[in-house]
Amino acid sequence: MSQEIQETLVSGTLVPETKVSLIDIGANLLHRSFDRDRDQVIDHAAAAGVSPIIITGTSEESSRAALNYAQGRPGKLYATAGIHPHEARNFGQGSVKNLAALCTEGAIAAAIAVGECGLDYNRDFSPRDKQRECFEAQVRLASVKGLPLFLHQRDAFEDFRSILLKYHQHLGPVVVHCFTGSAEELSAWLELGCYIGITGWVCDERRGRHLLPLLKEIPADKLMLETDAPFLSPRTLQSGNSRNEPKNLGHIAAFIAGQLSKSPETLAAETTANARRFFSLPG
Ligand SMILES: [Zn+2]
C-alpha cells in the first residue's frame, strides 16, 4: 500500500460510506399496492438500512393482518393495532375488546402501540361524533394497557387536544404521526410531551415548506421518522415511482438532516434511539 493511500485511509476519505440505520415508525405495508412484492419491499428496505419497520394498523382487520404478517419476521417487523378516523364509522360494541386482544400476547405477537387513531376533520370520511367516540376509546385503551399511542390529527386541533388532555396523566409515550401542522400546534404537542413523526411531506415544495423552519423547534429526543408508505412519496426523490416504500426513509432523513445542519448519521442515531425508547424495542 502506498504512503498516499495509507494517509487517505487514515484521514477517512477511502472509508466506505457509513451505512445509516433507520427505523420506519409508520408504513402501511398491508396496503394492497404491496400485495405483489411485499417481501421484496422489506428486503430492499433492509438493504438500504431501514429495519425494523413498524406496520401501521388502521382497522381491526388490517391490524390483525399486520400482526400476523409481522410475526413471520421477528425483530424486523412490528405492528400497531388501531382504528383510523376514516374507519371510525365501523367502530362498534366489540371493537375495543378486539383491539385489546390484539394488544395482548396470544396466538399472534402483541401490538407494540395503540393506533393509528385520532381525528380527521379534513376529509370527514366518518361522522365526527363517531370519530371522537372511536378515538377516546383507543386513548383509554392505551392508558389501561400502558402502551404507546400512534396518533393522526388533521384539522381537528381543539377536539383532539381536549381528548388527549383528559387522559394525559395516565398515558405512556405519544407520537403525533405525520405532523403537518402549524407552529402553534407543534408547541401544543411538545408541551404535552408528545413525540413528532415527520414524513416525506416535508420534501414537498408545494405544501411542506411551512414545516422547514419548524424542524428546528423539535427537540432532538422527540423526533421520529416515517414514510407512511405507500403514500407521500418524497417529491425530491426522482424515482419516477409514485408508490412510496420504506427504503426511501434514508432520503427523507438526509433531507431533514440537511435542514438541521446535521450529518445523516447523527440524525439517524438520534431518531433510531428515540424509536427504540418509544416502542420499547430491543437493542
Ligand atoms: Zn395518518
Side-chain angles (χ1 to χ4, degrees):
M1 190 182 293
S2 77
Q3 179 72 24
E4 199 187 337
I5 290 179
Q6 214 162 12
E7 273 168 12
T8 27
L9 267 177
V10 170
S11 72
T13 327
L14 288 187
V15 174
E17 221 178 277
T18 326
K19 195 172 156 194
V20 182
S21 164
L22 293 161
I23 296 176
D24 188 350
I25 68 150
N28 303 279
L29 278 186
L30 270 291
H31 190 273
R32 62 182 180 282
S33 65
F34 293 122
D35 282 352
R36 277 176 300 114
D37 58 352
R38 194 166 283 112
D39 288 346
Q40 267 181 331
V41 165
I42 296 157
D43 291 340
H44 290 161
V50 182
S51 178
I53 298 169
I54 321 279
I55 310 174
T56 310
T58 55
S59 65
E60 288 179 45
E61 202 187 4
S62 85
S63 301
R64 195 172 297 112
L67 284 161
N68 260 319
Y69 184 64
Q71 182 136 287
R73 300 217 184 194
K76 305 248 170 27
L77 295 178
Y78 298 92
T80 68
I83 302 172
H84 193 282
H86 292 346
E87 305 282 339
R89 60 182 180 279
N90 300 318
F91 179 80
Q93 290 267 305
S95 298
V96 174
K97 216 175 122 207
N98 294 341
L99 283 182
L102 296 179
C103 295
T104 311
E105 208 77 35
I108 50 175
I112 58 168
V114 174
E116 171 175 7
C117 60
L119 301 174
D120 193 317
Y121 295 174
N122 179 274
R123 281 163 287 184
D124 277 326
F125 287 162
S126 293
R128 292 185 178 181
D129 56 341
K130 203 72 186 165
Q131 288 193 42
R132 288 189 289 270
E133 180 192 354
C134 179
F135 176 39
E136 184 161 349
Q138 293 177 82
V139 176
R140 206 180 304 123
L141 176 65
S143 73
V144 170
K145 288 279 180 188
L147 281 172
L149 257 177
F150 189 90
L151 300 181
H152 172 108
Q153 189 278 131
R154 274 190 84 187
D155 297 352
F157 176 78
E158 286 302 338
D159 285 354
F160 183 87
R161 184 166 171 273
S162 69
I163 291 172
L164 261 191
L165 272 175
K166 243 165 108 174
Y167 296 88
H168 179 234
Q169 303 291 344
H170 310 284
L171 286 174
V174 171
V175 62
V176 178
H177 120 94
C178 191
F179 175 79
T180 57
S182 64
E184 291 72 30
E185 289 181 35
L186 178 63
S187 59
W189 307 143
L190 291 175
E191 213 172 287
L192 286 175
C194 296
Y195 286 71
I196 307 295
I198 296 287
T199 61
W201 189 296
V202 78
C203 307
D204 189 329
E205 81 288 355
R206 302 163 308 175
R207 52 180 192 169
R209 191 165 292 177
H210 73 287
L211 290 174
L212 301 182
L214 298 186
L215 289 173
K216 296 188 182 69
E217 306 301 322
I218 305 171
D221 62 352
K222 286 290 192 276
L223 174 63
M224 297 196 286
L225 306 180
E226 44 175 340
T227 57
D228 206 23
F231 314 113
L232 304 180
S233 206
R235 277 176 60 84
T236 40
L237 192 67
Q238 304 296 331
S239 66
N241 191 349
S242 62
R243 184 184 74 169
N244 196 9
E245 292 186 28
K247 72 172 181 191
N248 296 335
L249 196 62
H251 175 82
I252 297 168
F255 181 90
I256 295 171
Q259 294 293 325
L260 295 174
S261 310
K262 283 181 182 178
S263 71
E265 289 79 9
T266 303
L267 184 73
E270 289 170 354
T271 55
T272 296
N274 293 343
R276 290 204 183 282
R277 183 172 65 250
F278 183 91
F279 291 106
S280 301
L281 300 177

